[in-house]
Structure formats: C-alpha cells, structure tokens
Amino acid sequence: MYSTKTAKAFATSGLILSAFGGITQSIGNFYAAKSEQYHAASRAIDYDLAADIASMNADQEEDNALYEMARGEQEIGALSMRSGQESATARATMAARGVSLGVGSAAEIMASHEIMKQRDMLTINSNRVRRAASARMKASNYRGQAIMARTSADNMRRTIKTTNPWLSGFTSLMNTASSVANQWYQYNKPVKTSGK
C-alpha cells in the first residue's frame, strides 16, 4: 500500500497535470478559434470572387441579349433588301414579257412573294426575341448567384466578428481552473471522523 505522503504526491502530480492539460487545451481552443476566423476570411474572399464573376457573366449575357436583338434587326433588313430585289427582278421580268402586273397570276405571284417575306420576317423576329430572352434569363440567374455569394461573404465576415479566440481560450482556462480547484478541494478536505 502507498503511504499518505505518496498518495498526496500522486494527487498533487495529478492536479499539476490537470492544470497543464487545461492550459494546453486553452491554447488549443484559442488557435482553433483563430483558425476558424482565418477560414471564414478565406471563404468570404472566395464568395466575393464568385459574386464578381457572376456579375460579370450577367453583364455579358445582357450584352448578348442586346446583340441578338440587333442581329435580328440586321437579318430583317437584309431579308427586306433581298426580297425587294427579288420583287423588282420579278416585276421587270414580267413587264419585259408583257405581263400585266396588277392582275391575274402576276398579282398572285407578287402577293405570294410578299406573304413569304412577312413570314420570314416574323420567324427572324421570333428567333431574335427568343435568343434575347434566353440571354436575359441567364443574366438574371447570374445576378441571383451574385446576390447569394455576396450574402454568404457577409455571413463569413459576421462569423469572423463573432468568433473571439481570447474568449474561447479564457473560457477553457476558467473551466480547467474550476475543475482543478474542485479536485484540490476533494483531495484536501478534512476527513470526518465518527465519534465524539
């Protein structure tokens, strides 16, 4: 069996080891909180970058929508010019053959040609509007991504502000001090003797 002196030495050693363990844990908690702050700062930068890229993509898609509308206008203009040239050529050819332009099959040919031109113009217009709308939808999606990324970046910055490494380390140290004090009291409390 151990003597009382040896038992007290073990108890004291245990208290010292508990205190050093608590100090080590406090330091670890401090650096864990610091690491959390650095990680949050890094994530905030990543989110800011993602928001900037999404905003640039949204701007590009908006430019694409404008381009599609302008391209459609150019296609309509080219179709009108080509159609006008074809009509003029057809009229000249029919007039050279002595065909009366305003009546009969000549009038039907010219009306048919105008109907085809109008149909092609409507198709071009429909396509340009559809392509522009698609680009604007993509732009809207990118803007939404930018908003979400900026919100996430703001949340990461709030995490940095609310994480306090000193408080984390101090809280851990106080818990250790309380535990060591309780153990010390348990080892050193007077032993009640039964009797008088």
Side-chain angles (χ1 to χ4, degrees), residues 187-194:
Y187 292 138
N188 291 304
K189 73 178 177 181
V191 179
K192 291 185 181 179
T193 57
S194 61

Side-chain angles (χ1 to χ4, degrees), residues 87 90 94 101 103-116:
S87 290
M94 284 188 262
L101 297 178
V103 293
S105 61
E108 289 174 5
I109 290 172
M110 297 311 287
S112 174
H113 184 74
E114 183 61 27
I115 289 171
M116 295 298 283

Side-chain angles (χ1 to χ4, degrees), residues 63-78:
D63 289 345
N64 289 345
L66 295 173
Y67 168 78
E68 289 298 340
M69 293 301 283
R71 186 176 84 162
E73 284 293 322
Q74 289 174 347
E75 289 175 2
I76 289 172

Side-chain angles (χ1 to χ4, degrees), residues 7-27:
K8 277 199 174 230
F10 280 138
T12 302
S13 297
L15 286 173
I16 292 170
L17 289 175
S18 290
F20 280 124
I23 290 168
T24 304
Q25 182 179 2
S26 296
I27 293 168

